[in-house]
Amino acid sequence: MSDAYIVGVDMIKFGRFPDRSVPNIGAEAALLALDDCGLTIHDMQAMYCGNLGQASGMVGQRVLQEIGQTGIPVVNVSNACATGATAFREAWTSVKAGLYDLVIAVGVEQMGKGLLGGAGGAKGIPKEGLLGSGTMPAVFAEAGHEHSRNYGTTFEQFAKVSVKNHHHSTLNPKAMYQIETPLETVMGAEMIAYPNTKLMCSVNVDGSAAAVIASEKKARELGLMDRAVKVRASVLTSDPWQERDLVMPDVNSCTRLAAKAAYEMAGVSPEDINLVELHDCFATAEILHYENLGLCGEGEAGRMIDEGESALGGRVPVNVSGGLLSKGHPLGATGIANIYEVSTHLRGEAGKRQVEGARLGMTHVIGLGSACGIHILEKAS
């Protein structure tokens, strides 16, 4: 099978665009990614589009109406917070299998405000309020409490994640927010679901990101290998069956399963990874995923944040983009936006936030329900 390479990748600056449509926002990222590699939609053999919120679907076709309807096949995917990563993986798979030589993956979302999750209109006796809460802040607060119970992780350690990621965002011109949030400010912010304050919750924003994927043969033919990024691993998992209490969602197992498979596919270990963009939907989540991804040992995540190992300049910088906490979290776009961030570092084009000498990077997203997408990317030259 052919190796597959990212030859064009970009994202728009995340924000809120009430006067724009979802296809229009997605089209902007698609054109940016095409411009990044000097190609056009006429060069693409297929499109894979990720979007969660448009009930009418067909978002990919509507993106093409904005930039050029060429008659190519379009696949629309929806997979919770892993939607963008799933669209990218489907695109990668088609090139890897030799079906196409050039494809484009687009992730796009317009978000409302307020809490995600909850009862969701389910019939019968709702568990919401009776058996805890299904809103995402509550789910990840519960997970944080469990980590604290097992390992003594403190409110301050969770809050340090937000301090770090907000600081990183000041170096990223495409982040929604670019502000410093000192520890006292984070801990003193409005409490949403202890231990997560408002500044420890991801930002609901509008956004889009896109990537052009090419076979090695086509990338060489077009002279695009000098900035190409090799996809060493692409993994998608769901929760395995376990004998456990199903009232509290499992936010760990599908990530651990995906990480193990990704390291095996890439033939690398956690120690080889130079930077990570992971799913920090809440500050508690980032702490959990340090261990889920094998970036540290069990119970060592609190120490890892205390010692600055996950900060820019640390042993393995995490969420140098500002992460979901500050860059923002447009559900369908996040997976590809993470790929853009890591690719930018591997190309040596990340400016003030550049992770020096980066050769291997990992991206991670998780959608409860469940789906986890992990990609390991490598500098091609």
Side-chain angles (χ1 to χ4, degrees):
M1 292 188 291
S2 169
D3 282 328
Y5 292 81
I6 300 165
V7 294
V9 63
D10 213 330
M11 60 177 276
I12 70 170
K13 175 178 166 52
F14 287 176
R16 292 195 175 95
F17 313 110
D19 299 327
R20 298 179 64 183
S21 69
V22 167
N24 180 259
I25 295 171
E28 182 180 354
L31 290 173
L32 287 170
L34 289 166
D35 287 347
D36 184 52
C37 55
L39 300 175
T40 75
I41 194 62
H42 295 280
D43 298 305
M44 299 299 105
Q45 296 170 300
M47 171 183 279
Y48 297 81
C49 183
N51 174 265
L52 199 62
Q54 293 290 296
S56 60
M58 308 295 277
V59 172
Q61 286 88 340
R62 292 158 63 197
V63 168
L64 287 180
Q65 289 172 5
E66 299 268 340
I67 64 177
Q69 294 173 274
T70 59
I72 59 175
V74 176
V75 178
N76 293 289
V77 306
S78 175
N79 209 12
C81 296
T83 292
T86 304
F88 180 89
R89 185 173 191 274
E90 290 299 304
W92 168 83
T93 299
S94 70
V95 172
K96 188 78 172 171
L99 188 60
Y100 304 117
D101 285 309
L102 278 173
V103 300
I104 186 167
V106 180
V108 58
E109 204 76 56
Q110 266 187 322
M111 300 286 293
K113 296 183 179 180
L115 304 181
L116 298 179
K123 295 180 179 179
I125 299 174
K127 76 171 188 177
E128 186 68 29
L130 298 178
L131 298 172
S133 174
T135 60
M136 291 301 101
V139 167
F140 283 92
E142 291 168 354
H145 279 298
E146 183 71 6
H147 199 273
S148 295
R149 183 180 73 85
N150 290 335
Y151 305 116
T153 320
T154 66
F155 177 32
E156 181 173 321
Q157 287 172 326
F158 288 127
K160 285 181 179 179
V161 170
S162 186
V163 175
K164 170 182 71 73
N165 291 356
H166 280 93
H167 170 66
H168 288 166
S169 74
T170 65
L171 307 175
N172 182 7
K174 296 198 174 189
M176 169 68 172
Y177 295 112
Q178 298 164 41
I179 55 172
E180 298 281 5
T181 56
L183 184 61
E184 298 76 14
T185 302
V186 173
M187 296 176 71
E190 177 185 358
M191 186 59 66
I192 303 301
Y194 187 86
N196 288 314
T197 68
K198 189 173 183 178
L199 291 175
M200 297 160 70
C201 301
S202 58
V203 188
N204 291 344
V205 301
D206 305 336
S208 62
V212 176
I213 302 171
S215 65
E216 182 172 1
K217 176 183 177 182
K218 179 60 70 172
R220 293 191 183 282
E221 178 185 310
L222 295 173
L224 296 173
M225 288 297 291
D226 58 327
R227 294 176 68 243
V229 173
K230 185 178 181 179
V231 182
R232 284 283 295 267
S234 178
V235 172
L236 185 68
T237 60
S238 60
D239 280 340
W241 185 88
Q242 301 173 83
E243 190 170 320
R244 56 179 292 274
D245 182 358
L246 295 178
V247 171
M248 180 175 170
D250 180 359
V251 302
N252 300 307
S253 293
C254 66
T255 289
R256 292 185 176 228
L257 192 64
K260 181 176 184 294
Y263 290 131
E264 289 176 356
M265 183 182 293
V268 301
S269 69
E271 293 74 26
D272 298 315
I273 302 297
N274 302 125
L275 77 155
V276 177
E277 286 288 309
L278 63 75
H279 200 80
D280 60 320
C281 49
F282 299 90
T284 50
E286 179 164 323
I287 289 286
L288 298 174
H289 293 316
Y290 290 169
E291 295 170 19
N292 292 336
L293 295 173
L295 304 181
C296 64
E298 296 296 324
E300 295 182 357
R303 176 199 59 77
M304 187 172 171
I305 192 70
D306 280 341
E307 296 181 4
E309 291 186 4
S310 58
L312 183 61
R315 176 174 63 85
V316 53
V318 175
N319 290 331
V320 182
S321 67
L324 283 57
L325 294 180
S326 195
K327 177 182 65 180
H329 184 23
L331 303 183
T334 291
I336 301 179
N338 287 356
I339 287 167
Y340 160 76
E341 180 67 22
V342 169
S343 297
T344 301
H345 287 271
L346 298 180
R347 289 170 159 185
E349 298 172 359
K352 294 180 180 179
R353 67 187 189 283
Q354 177 67 45
V355 175
E356 297 299 332
R359 295 200 61 85
L360 276 175
M362 170 184 277
T363 69
H364 159 265
V365 286
I366 176 175
L368 292 189
S370 60
C372 178
I374 288 181
H375 291 90
I376 295 178
L377 308 178
E378 180 182 34
K379 183 178 181 180
S381 58

